[in-house]
Amino acid sequence: MSAPLRIAIAGLGTVGAATAQILRDNAAIIAARCGRSIEIVAASVRDPGKKRAVTLDGIRLEADALALVAPDVDVVVELIGGQEGIARALVERALDAGKHVVTANKALIAHHGAALAARAEQQQTTLAFEAAVAGGIPIIAAMRGGLAANRIQRVAGILNGTCNYILTTMERERRDFAEVLADAQKLGYAEAEPSFDIDGTDTAHKLAILASLAFGVAPDIAAVHCEGIRRLSLTDIDYAASFGYRIKLLGLATLEDGALLQRVHPCLVPIAAPLAAVDGAFNAVQVDGDAVGRVVIEGAGAGGAATASAVISDLMAIAREDRYAPFTLAASQLQTVPPAALAVHQGCYYLRLTVKDAPGALADIAHAFAAQHVSVHSITQRTTEADRGAQVIVITHATNEAAIAHAVQHIAALPISLAAPVVLRIEP
Ligand code: NAP
Ligand code: HSE
C-alpha cells in the first residue's frame, strides 16, 4: 500500500466533525478502495475550548487555520464556510503552496471558483467541491463523468435542504414557517446565516456551480435571478395542492438563444413529477441531456454525515490520483455567455388575486390578461368572506414573464384589488 494521504481539516462543526468521524469509522474500507489510507494529521477550530462530538486523539489542533498549510499536509479540507475571510485566505494559501484543496463551501466556489480553478491549474493541484452542491448527491462527479458526453439543455434542482424541509413540514404538519425553520437549524441543515437558505442565496450559489459544469461557463452568481420562500403561505400551498401541484424552491438554468438564464424561485410542480415527490431535507437534481434524456438524482442534501460522504469522495479521488479540471474544462476554456433577462422566460403561471367580490371584477381581471395576450387556462373563485373579498385563482397557458408582469401591475392598480397579487411560476 502507498503512503497515507495526509489531510488537515479546517472547521470541526456539523460537516467537519462528521468527516473526521466517518474517516475513522470507515477507515478500512476507504483504504482498501483507494489503495492507501487517509490520515488526519491536523485540524483547526475557532473555539478550542468547545466540546467536540469527535475524538481528536493524535490530531494536532491549530488555533490559526492558516497554520494547516504545513509541510506534513497533502490536502487542506476547508469546512469553515463564507465566501471571503479565513476560508478564502486558507484556500488561496493552500493552492499557492501546491496543496490539494477539498471544500464544501458553495459561496466561495460560486463567487471565486474560476479564479481558484486557475490557481489550482497553475500549481497542478486539485480543487474539489463535490459537497458544495446538493450535499451527499454525487452530482458533480456525474456531470464530469457519466453525463459528460451530452449537450446539456436544462438543469433543474431542489438544492436547499432547509427550504425543502420547511415547505414539506409546513404542508404536512400545518405549522408556521418560523417554527419549522428553527427545527431545521437544530437539525444542522441551515447555514450559519439562515437568510442564505430562505432567501434563495444558497440555492443560487449551487445553481451557479451546476450551470458552470453544464454549460462550460465560469460561475456567474451575479446573473442569477433569486427569490426565496419567506412570503409563501399555507394558503398558496393548499390552493396549489387543490390544482394538482406542490410548491418547491427550484434552481433552474437553461440556454435561451445563446444567453444563459439562471433563476431561483418557488415553483408549482405537478404532483406526478419526480421533483414534487422530494421530501424533507432531501435534494434532487434533474439534468436534461441531448443523448441521455432526463436523469434525476435524489438524496440527502444537507446534514453532517451526508455532506461528509461527498467530502470524503473527493479525498478518495485525490488519494487515487484521479486528476481533473475543477469545472471539467480548463479555466482558460470556460466561456463567457451573456446572461438572459428573466423577462424572456416562457411558461405557465399561478396567480392568487384578492379582489372585491363585486359585479365586473372577473371581467376586469379577464380584460387585463387579454390586453397582454395572456391565455387563461382556468379561473376560479375559491372563497368569499364579506370583509376580506374574494380569492381568485388564475392558471395561465404558456406565456412570457413580461406579459404577466404587465397584467399583474394593471390588476394591482384596479379599484377592485384588495391585496398584492401572489404570482408563482409553474414548471413542468
Ligand atoms: P458549522 O457547523 O458552523 O462549522 C463551522 C466550523 O468552522 C466550526 O468548527 C467553527 O469553529 C469553524 N470556524 C468558524 N469560523 C471560523 C474562523 N473565523 N476561523 C476558524 N474556524 C472557524 O458549519 P457547517 O454546517 O459544518 O458548514 C461548513 C461548510 O460546509 C460551509 O461552507 C457550508 O456551507 C458547507 N455545507 C454545509 C452543509 C450542512 O448540511 N451543514 C451541507 C453542505 C455544505 P467552532 O466549532 O470552534 O465554532
Ligand atoms: N444549508 C444548506 C441546505 C446546507 O439547507 O441545503 C447544504 O448545502
Side-chain angles (χ1 to χ4, degrees):
M1 215 176 247
S2 316
L5 182 74
R6 300 163 305 170
I7 71 163
I9 303 181
L12 291 172
T14 304
V15 182
T19 300
Q21 189 66 49
I22 294 166
L23 280 170
R24 278 180 199 266
D25 291 349
N26 294 357
I29 198 166
I30 290 168
R33 288 174 179 166
C34 297
R36 63 197 288 205
S37 60
I38 298 178
E39 189 182 299
I40 307 172
V41 296
S44 77
V45 290
R46 181 175 37 193
D47 175 4
K50 203 189 265 184
K51 202 169 163 352
R52 305 282 156 190
V54 63
T55 167
L56 300 177
D57 295 349
I59 298 175
R60 186 170 77 243
L61 199 59
E62 300 283 3
D64 176 8
L66 297 179
L68 299 179
V69 185
D72 63 346
V73 170
D74 303 314
V75 188
V76 171
V77 184
E78 185 279 303
L79 299 174
I80 295 173
Q83 76 197 48
E84 302 296 341
I86 186 71
R88 182 179 179 189
L90 173 62
V91 168
E92 289 180 348
R93 180 175 296 193
L95 291 174
D96 290 350
K99 308 291 179 191
H100 303 298
V101 169
V102 172
T103 179
N105 189 338
K106 50 268 166 147
L108 178 75
I109 299 298
H111 283 272
H112 305 297
L116 294 173
R119 253 170 143 124
E121 264 172 41
Q122 216 167 26
Q123 295 293 334
Q124 297 186 316
T125 61
T126 301
L127 169 66
F129 42 82
E130 181 66 71
V133 180
I137 301 176
I139 184 61
I140 292 180
M143 294 188 75
R144 202 177 53 233
L147 298 172
N150 288 263
R151 283 177 200 281
I152 305 295
Q153 293 147 335
R154 180 178 186 262
V155 180
I158 294 174
L159 301 174
N160 186 267
T162 301
C163 287
N164 206 53
Y165 175 83
I166 290 173
L167 292 175
T168 52
T169 307
M170 279 174 75
E171 181 183 0
R172 202 171 36 232
E173 298 179 10
R174 316 209 56 73
R175 286 166 64 204
D176 271 357
F177 176 86
E179 202 182 306
V180 182
L181 170 63
D183 282 359
Q185 287 174 292
K186 276 189 222 133
L187 290 164
Y189 303 151
E191 292 303 302
E193 173 49 67
S195 66
F196 269 39
D197 294 299
I198 59 187
D199 292 332
T201 312
D202 179 74
T203 301
H205 288 148
K206 294 165 181 168
L207 181 69
I209 298 169
L210 279 182
S212 170
L213 287 150
F215 300 110
V217 299
D220 185 3
I221 184 69
V224 183
H225 169 86
C226 189
E227 299 167 28
I229 62 165
R230 238 180 240 276
R231 289 170 48 223
L232 275 181
S233 66
L234 259 178
T235 306
D236 292 304
I237 291 174
D238 287 344
Y239 281 139
S242 73
F243 286 95
Y245 297 98
R246 292 184 86 190
I247 299 184
K248 296 288 179 192
L249 182 74
L250 298 188
L252 301 120
T254 41
L255 277 181
E256 310 280 342
D257 294 328
L260 182 61
L261 180 58
Q262 301 180 80
R263 53 196 169 97
V264 171
H265 50 70
C267 299
L268 270 68
V269 179
I271 279 169
L275 293 183
V278 178
D279 267 347
F282 273 51
N283 282 191
V285 186
Q286 181 172 294
V287 181
D288 291 319
D290 63 347
V292 73
R294 176 161 289 179
V295 172
V296 186
I297 316 183
E298 180 184 345
T307 309
S309 159
V311 170
I312 296 170
S313 75
D314 282 340
L315 288 169
M316 290 174 73
I318 292 170
R320 289 192 295 251
E321 300 190 356
D322 175 8
R323 299 277 185 266
Y324 46 82
F327 294 98
T328 310
L329 294 176
S332 60
Q333 286 185 297
L334 293 173
Q335 307 281 312
T336 307
V337 172
L342 186 64
V344 306
H345 169 64
Q346 304 268 343
C348 302
Y349 288 78
Y350 158 102
L351 300 100
R352 177 165 62 85
L353 311 170
T354 306
V355 296
K356 283 184 193 157
D357 195 4
L362 283 184
D364 285 352
I365 292 168
H367 177 75
F369 287 117
Q372 294 300 325
H373 306 286
V374 174
S375 175
V376 171
H377 169 72
S378 72
I379 185 160
T380 314
Q381 184 168 315
R382 275 299 171 94
T383 59
T384 306
E385 292 167 24
D387 52 341
R388 289 182 48 212
Q391 298 285 297
V392 175
I393 315 299
V394 179
I395 307 276
T396 74
H397 285 298
T399 180
N400 71 68
E401 181 86 16
I404 286 291
H406 284 120
V408 166
Q409 197 180 19
H410 181 87
I411 292 167
L414 289 172
I416 55 160
S417 193
L418 297 178
V422 173
V423 182
L424 293 167
R425 300 169 192 90
I426 300 177
E427 286 297 324

